[in-house]
Amino acid sequence: MAFLFAILYISLIVIGITLFVLPGIIVLILFYFTPYVMIYKKQNPFRSLGTAFRLAKKHFFKILLIILAMGLIDNLFSSILLLAISGVSSDYLSIFFGQLLLNLIFFPLLTIYTTCRFHDWFEELEEHVPVKKLHQNYEHIERGSHEKNISFF
């Protein structure tokens, strides 16, 4: 199920970027935390879309800033590494392994940072669930189980 969601998510981003750059970026940001919600709440991918959407809608520009900042930092370090390696050797494999090493260092840091932000924002989102809505859901569950018990008699 997660594999199908990943294909759908990547396809939407590619289509959005192909048509125009902005729709692809918007889809990327709005559903960026779907895998996090999926793991954190142990839901299937399609049920976690709503929670990820609410979270991203509330923190849209913060997520955009994180993605842009990490992309700029990665490009800066990649350029510096490329200049340093190409000054010593013009071998493609040395450049490739240098970039690979940089990504092995950089992407786990990005993942740790975004996971920390997600955890903070998700707890904040869960705290703001209206109590009235929780009571309505509880009453609905109570009525549903009570009606089921009556129908068995």
Side-chain angles (χ1 to χ4, degrees), residues 29 59-71:
I29 293 170
H59 300 285
F60 185 85
F61 291 106
K62 293 176 186 175
I63 297 169
L64 177 64
L65 184 65
I66 288 171
I67 292 171
L68 289 177
M70 294 299 178

Side-chain angles (χ1 to χ4, degrees), residues 21-37:
V21 174
L22 196 57
I25 293 173
I26 291 171
V27 168
L28 170 71
I29 293 170
L30 289 178
F31 300 113
Y32 187 75
F33 285 121
T34 301
Y36 291 91
V37 173

Side-chain angles (χ1 to χ4, degrees), residues 11-151:
S11 299
L12 287 174
I13 292 171
V14 168
I15 290 170
I17 289 176
T18 302
L19 295 175
F20 299 103
V21 174
L22 196 57
I25 293 173
I26 291 171
V27 168
L28 170 71
I29 293 170
L30 289 178
F31 300 113
Y32 187 75
F33 285 121
T34 301
Y36 291 91
V37 173
M38 199 171 62
I39 293 169
Y40 198 75
K41 291 194 72 150
K42 297 178 183 168
Q43 293 180 345
N44 69 23
F46 298 103
R47 290 197 67 194
S48 57
L49 284 172
T51 306
F53 181 78
R54 282 185 299 149
L55 184 68
K57 193 169 73 171
K58 187 171 184 178
H59 300 285
F60 185 85
F61 291 106
K62 293 176 186 175
I63 297 169
L64 177 64
L65 184 65
I66 288 171
I67 292 171
L68 289 177
M70 294 299 178
L72 288 174
I73 292 169
D74 181 45
N75 283 334
L76 177 70
F77 281 118
S78 292
S79 298
I80 292 170
L81 183 69
L82 180 65
L83 287 173
I85 292 175
S86 63
V88 176
S89 171
S90 62
D91 185 31
Y92 180 73
L93 279 176
S94 60
I95 294 171
F96 172 76
F97 283 117
Q99 293 293 328
L100 183 66
L101 180 64
L102 179 66
N103 288 335
L104 285 173
I105 294 168
F106 185 74
F107 285 119
L109 293 176
L110 171 65
T111 304
I112 290 168
Y113 182 75
T114 55
T115 303
C116 291
R117 296 286 60 83
F118 166 77
H119 182 70
D120 294 342
W121 294 337
F122 186 76
E123 284 184 352
E124 177 185 311
L125 184 71
E126 290 293 312
E127 288 175 1
H128 289 95
V129 173
V131 176
K132 184 177 180 181
K133 185 176 180 181
L134 288 175
H135 287 295
Q136 288 173 348
N137 289 341
Y138 181 75
E139 288 174 5
H140 177 69
I141 291 170
E142 285 278 318
R143 278 185 279 144
S145 64
H146 181 66
E147 291 171 4
K148 287 180 185 175
N149 291 336
I150 291 173
S151 65

